[in-house]
Amino acid sequence: MLKLNMMADSRTGKRHIETLMENQDRVLMYEDDTIAVLTAADGCSACECAAEAAELTVNGAVEFAKLDSIWHIKLKNMKQILLDTLDRMYLASDSPYDDLCATLAMVVIHKPTHKYIAITIGDCSAFAIDRDLRSTMLLSPMNLLAKNQTVFANSYTAKNAMKIKTGRMEHARGFVLYTDGANALADEPEILRHLAMKTIQMEEDSKEILNSYMEHLLQQTHDDVTVGIMMIRGAESTAQQTTAPKVIEEEKQAEEEYENPEIEEETEEDTDEETEEEEMEDDDTLRGFLRQPRTPEEVLEAGYCTGENFLLMLAPYLQAGVVTVENGRLMWN
């Protein structure tokens, strides 16, 4: 059974301090006998309920992570379950739904089977840390055409813009999540390495080290800064490196109970069946409509978006390379 250490911190950025605004980021850690969850959210400063949106989003992410079903369902169903869980949080609030705008990054590890699920919506990021404490971008930010535009968890494009990675911990020691205020981390792998090592060891000065790095990051941005680290505990992290191929009986039993076809290698037959299923469902969707090259005018005439939201709707698809433009026509890849 995996044992994990987690550290996290969230600070108010210079711009919000100057304007007497509260921190609109949130970070939440949760652990029980079966799962460990780390999640961060960034509320949209342009919305009045940004801080509440971030709070509801991290709480909703943890509620989603507690569901046993997420370990044995298709990714497209997982996306919908997460959005439904977040919507229940938003709709239970007294604040207007449209004002509850926040981005999300989360990772949940299933301890008995060593499986993980990592998810981002919008411009939060997730790094994977390997056995040598090298960092690799696991989930990169999703921005729209402009650097300060993104997709939120309550956006109608959230499902298509959502990024998910699933896998096992045999080749990873942990993860680092952060909001866009800490984007400088992407260019400072030595900081990520040191933070990872401190989280593995959780020595007395670990939180002081994180505190000093947060101060360092705050000097490079005016935005709120949030960083969360989840790593396999020190002794177990070392043992895992030499015993990864061995699976104890408890893990074998859990493996039978939590079988995820998306985490496991898919067969060609499974993939074909799902593709046919999706194609049938997409006959009346934008994806179905863009199977053939279409001009922007044709997309507007078909009613998939209006002139006002045309760029807003298509931007995440273009950014992700899902939709391409050739000779002035749009087509779904």
Side-chain angles (χ1 to χ4, degrees), residues 23-42:
N23 184 356
Q24 295 171 351
D25 286 0
R26 291 293 185 274
V27 63
L28 184 61
M29 299 176 287
Y30 172 84
E31 186 172 12
D32 60 25
D33 292 339
T34 305
I35 61 171
V37 187
L38 176 65
T39 180
D42 183 354

Side-chain angles (χ1 to χ4, degrees), residues 1 112-113 246-257:
M1 186 79 72
T113 61
K246 299 179 182 179
V247 182
I248 60 174
E249 287 303 316
E250 181 181 12
E251 291 170 355
K252 285 183 179 179
Q253 182 180 355
E255 189 73 22
E256 294 172 1
E257 294 173 358

Side-chain angles (χ1 to χ4, degrees), residues 210-280:
L210 177 56
N211 174 64
S212 67
Y213 284 140
M214 295 296 286
E215 294 296 333
H216 165 73
L217 291 170
L218 282 167
Q219 299 307 310
Q220 303 182 51
T221 181
H222 288 276
D223 200 0
D224 299 332
V225 173
T226 297
V227 177
I229 312 105
M230 173 192 286
M231 301 295 295
I232 298 172
R233 193 168 296 175
E236 186 165 346
S237 182
T238 304
Q240 185 195 16
Q241 190 163 356
T242 57
T243 62
K246 299 179 182 179
V247 182
I248 60 174
E249 287 303 316
E250 181 181 12
E251 291 170 355
K252 285 183 179 179
Q253 182 180 355
E255 189 73 22
E256 294 172 1
E257 294 173 358
Y258 292 90
E259 195 64 32
N260 185 342
E262 289 290 344
I263 294 178
E264 300 296 332
E265 203 173 308
E266 285 185 339
T267 65
E268 188 175 341
E269 182 180 350
D270 290 337
T271 306
D272 289 344
E273 285 178 4
E274 185 171 354
T275 301
E276 289 174 10
E277 216 174 80
E278 288 181 351
E279 285 179 355
M280 290 175 62

